[in-house]
Amino acid sequence: MPKYFRPNIVAMAGYVPGEQPGNDGVIKLNTNENPYGPSPKVYAILKRAVNSSLRLYPEPQSDTLRAAAARVYGVKPANIIIGNGSDEILSMLLRCFVGPGDRVAYPVPTYSLYDTLVEIQDGRKAAVNYPADFSLPVALAEQNAALTFVCNPNAPSGTLISLPAIEKLARSVSGILAVDEAYIDFAATEGASTIPLIHQLPNLIVLRTFSKSFSLAGMRIGMAFADEEMIAGLMKVKDSYNVNRLSLLAATAALEDLPWMTRNAQRIQRSRTKLSAGLARLGYHVFPSQANFVLARRNGENIRSVYEELKRRKIYVRYFDLPGLQDCLRITVGTPSEIKILLKEMATLTH
């Protein structure tokens, strides 16, 4: 079969998502899901919507959701595109801006799906190493890239780049800057989002997701914000009916109950502080996270064995067998009881 595929597809490894164990009493802290459920308004609208209307196509451009999001985020509907998760929007960006041999820049380590998407397009990865403190690498703006990604807060570190630094980067790069704000609602810093800058920076695209702070990972809904002409161009490459009817309703209902999301994000912020402090007491260096996870390091020590032993005890965290991360665990912020159990078990493994 390989002879039928393009050579770059044969050569690539493919994206590896976090493990999805069954619900047999596991504590699942490996895929950055929200431990708290979505707004009751979501459940209510979905119950009403499961009827004969499912035989009909959804809105092709998700106009109702775009209008709701425009009201919430202070932009026009024409500044927004909706995707089947923000991952689909990432794919749209690659299809629009990257052809064979075009450079795509991003600081590493970061969200590894970027690697996969560049390989699918037969583009060229221009990965720039983060410094030890995960500040923005100066060399990132010098890559002459058609497309530059910054995940902010970054995954897997959880660290946040300041708004002035992002603005400076957008003005410095030669192509498009896409800021992936999947975790921004968990940031304790006020005014951290780059969405207001889309009116000043025509090469800026800001991505959001409903998977994390809105607790809708199972519904697969993402958004991107950009200049109206940019959004119009992206519309050309999206699938014709790319988001299903139920997901559109769920996302709209979630936006209509922002206090629910905000309360849950604040609960996660408080739990993140306790988790970070507990890991520090166990001898881990914990990076200053502004996301719903933390990155914990035992400097220079390969801690795959800790990950494997926690898994044996039905506690799932994320281990990356990659240079620079083999001494780290990425741990999703769970409920207070889950964090208590995790720290208790990790204490027995610390040496």
Side-chain angles (χ1 to χ4, degrees), residues 65 69 72-74 80-90 93 150 152-153 160 163 178-187 189 191-196 205-214 220-226 251 255 258 261:
L65 176 55
V72 169
Y73 295 101
I80 303 171
I81 190 169
I82 306 299
N84 183 16
S86 58
D87 287 350
E88 188 205 11
I89 299 175
L90 292 172
L93 299 184
V150 174
N152 198 44
L160 184 72
L163 195 60
V179 181
D180 188 347
E181 292 188 346
Y183 302 99
I184 197 72
D185 287 329
F186 301 108
T189 304
S193 176
T194 51
I195 290 175
I205 301 171
V206 184
L207 287 81
R208 290 291 189 92
T209 181
F210 285 82
S211 296
K212 311 301 182 181
S213 59
F214 287 99
R220 310 305 302 131
I221 323 150
M223 299 183 288
F225 300 78
L255 284 178
L258 283 181
M261 180 276 285

Side-chain angles (χ1 to χ4, degrees), residues 125-191:
K125 291 181 284 188
V128 180
N129 289 328
Y130 270 115
D133 63 354
F134 283 94
S135 57
L136 198 64
V138 174
L140 187 62
E142 303 168 357
Q143 298 306 305
N144 192 30
L147 176 62
T148 300
F149 286 121
V150 174
C151 186
N152 198 44
N154 184 50
S157 64
T159 48
L160 184 72
I161 302 297
S162 71
L163 195 60
I166 293 289
E167 181 176 1
K168 181 179 178 181
L169 178 64
R171 296 185 186 280
S172 302
V173 297
S174 56
I176 300 296
L177 175 63
V179 181
D180 188 347
E181 292 188 346
Y183 302 99
I184 197 72
D185 287 329
F186 301 108
T189 304
E190 290 290 332

Side-chain angles (χ1 to χ4, degrees), residues 83-334:
N84 183 16
S86 58
D87 287 350
E88 188 205 11
I89 299 175
L90 292 172
S91 295
M92 292 181 199
L93 299 184
L94 270 291
R95 293 201 297 273
C96 280
F97 306 119
V98 179
D102 288 336
R103 292 171 64 83
V104 181
Y106 40 93
V108 292
T110 192
Y111 186 27
S112 59
L113 182 64
Y114 303 153
D115 287 342
T116 304
L117 296 175
V118 176
E119 291 172 352
I120 291 171
Q121 287 299 107
D122 205 13
R124 293 175 58 198
K125 291 181 284 188
V128 180
N129 289 328
Y130 270 115
D133 63 354
F134 283 94
S135 57
L136 198 64
V138 174
L140 187 62
E142 303 168 357
Q143 298 306 305
N144 192 30
L147 176 62
T148 300
F149 286 121
V150 174
C151 186
N152 198 44
N154 184 50
S157 64
T159 48
L160 184 72
I161 302 297
S162 71
L163 195 60
I166 293 289
E167 181 176 1
K168 181 179 178 181
L169 178 64
R171 296 185 186 280
S172 302
V173 297
S174 56
I176 300 296
L177 175 63
V179 181
D180 188 347
E181 292 188 346
Y183 302 99
I184 197 72
D185 287 329
F186 301 108
T189 304
E190 290 290 332
S193 176
T194 51
I195 290 175
L197 296 179
I198 64 170
H199 302 297
Q200 307 167 35
L201 301 167
N203 67 328
L204 176 66
I205 301 171
V206 184
L207 287 81
R208 290 291 189 92
T209 181
F210 285 82
S211 296
K212 311 301 182 181
S213 59
F214 287 99
S215 308
L216 289 174
M219 301 302 289
R220 310 305 302 131
I221 323 150
M223 299 183 288
F225 300 78
D227 176 86
E228 292 182 27
E229 290 187 12
M230 185 77 74
I231 294 297
L234 289 170
M235 286 287 187
K236 295 179 181 180
V237 305
K238 79 169 188 66
D239 290 342
S240 52
Y241 300 98
N242 61 326
V243 183
N244 71 72
R245 295 176 66 90
L246 296 181
S247 292
L248 291 174
L249 289 171
T252 303
L255 284 178
E256 291 172 350
D257 194 2
L258 283 181
W260 180 274
M261 180 276 285
T262 301
R263 283 194 299 271
N264 284 342
Q266 290 170 345
R267 294 165 78 184
I268 288 169
Q269 289 172 352
R270 293 191 293 269
S271 294
R272 181 178 67 204
T273 299
K274 293 179 180 178
L275 174 59
S276 298
L279 289 166
R281 287 194 296 270
L282 295 176
Y284 288 86
H285 169 71
V286 183
F287 291 90
S289 175
Q290 295 290 297
N292 69 330
F293 57 85
V294 301
L295 187 68
R297 166 168 282 161
R298 301 276 292 185
N299 195 34
E301 178 183 340
N302 190 314
I303 54 175
R304 175 190 282 273
S305 60
V306 177
Y307 152 76
E308 290 176 343
E309 181 57 27
L310 287 172
K311 182 178 175 180
R312 192 185 70 80
R313 301 182 189 192
K314 294 188 175 183
I315 302 174
Y316 282 69
V317 298
R318 193 78 190 265
Y319 173 76
F320 299 93
D321 191 11
L322 297 169
L325 292 176
Q326 291 164 329
D327 57 356
C328 297
L329 295 175
R330 193 196 69 191
I331 305 171
T332 304
V333 179

